[in-house]
């Protein structure tokens, strides 16, 4: 087991991996498996864990304010309901247009088939 440091130029970040070597009998050569431990803090040199295990806990500053009055909540709820109704009306309108276009496409396709059959009859 070894600790590997790898520097990424594009993000200017050094990542730290745990590397475990093993023998691959099929390929008859040694291989290594790396597991990301975290990244190095450039100021302190400490390893900052990354991923789900190392995610920072939410602080009180990052939690949104939830002191909303009932009136504000009801007003926001009715505004959202109005938006939903408008979106549903738009969806219905687009579905109707889609049905009309599908019907027109079928008519056009059948007309094209008739024209192709008519042209083939002249070629004979």
């Amino acid at each position: 087991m070894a600790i590997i440091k790898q520097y990424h130029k594009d993000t200017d970040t050094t990542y730290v991996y745990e590397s475990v070597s093993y023998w691959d009998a099929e390929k008859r050569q040694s291989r290594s498996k790396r597991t990301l431990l975290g990244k190095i803090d450039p100021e302190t040199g400490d390893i900052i864990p990354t991923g789900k295990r190392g995610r920072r806990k939410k602080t009180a500053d990052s939690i949104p304010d939830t002191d909303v009055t009932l009136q504000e909540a009801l007003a926001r709820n009715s505004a959202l309901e109005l938006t939903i109704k408008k979106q549903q009306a738009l969806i219905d309108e687009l579905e109707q247009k889609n049905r009309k276009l599908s019907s027109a496409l079928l008519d056009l396709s059948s007309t094209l088939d008739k024209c192709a059959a008519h042209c083939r009859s002249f070629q004979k």
Side-chain angles (χ1 to χ4, degrees):
M1 179 171 76
I3 301 294
I4 307 286
K5 295 179 182 179
Q6 187 172 11
Y7 178 71
H8 292 251
K9 285 189 286 187
D10 55 339
T11 59
D12 193 35
T13 307
T14 302
Y15 290 96
V16 181
Y17 297 89
E18 177 185 48
S19 178
V20 178
S21 299
Y22 64 95
W23 181 257
D24 188 347
E26 185 177 315
K27 295 187 178 183
R28 305 186 88 203
Q29 50 186 264
S30 65
R31 297 284 179 186
S32 62
K33 178 167 176 56
R34 285 185 178 185
T35 305
L36 177 64
L37 297 177
K39 58 185 178 180
I40 294 183
D41 184 2
E43 295 172 4
T44 63
D46 294 336
I47 297 175
I48 302 169
T50 57
K52 290 183 180 177
R53 292 178 292 173
R55 218 172 261 159
R56 291 189 178 116
K57 304 291 185 247
K58 290 187 177 180
T59 61
D61 297 337
S62 65
I63 299 173
D65 187 18
T66 55
D67 287 340
V68 179
T69 65
L70 180 59
Q71 295 247 302
E72 292 171 336
L74 290 174
R76 185 155 197 264
N77 187 35
S78 58
L80 289 173
E81 285 177 350
L82 181 63
T83 302
I84 289 171
K85 286 181 184 178
K86 288 179 181 178
Q87 294 293 327
Q88 189 59 48
L90 180 62
I91 289 171
D92 293 341
E93 179 185 336
L94 290 173
E95 284 177 343
Q96 185 178 6
K97 285 182 180 180
N98 191 16
R99 281 192 295 273
K100 286 181 182 179
L101 288 172
S102 294
S103 175
L105 184 61
L106 284 174
D107 291 344
L108 186 63
S109 177
S110 66
T111 303
L112 185 62
D113 288 342
K114 289 177 186 175
C115 287
H118 189 68
C119 288
R120 280 193 296 270
S121 68
F122 280 116
Q123 290 176 351
K124 292 180 183 181

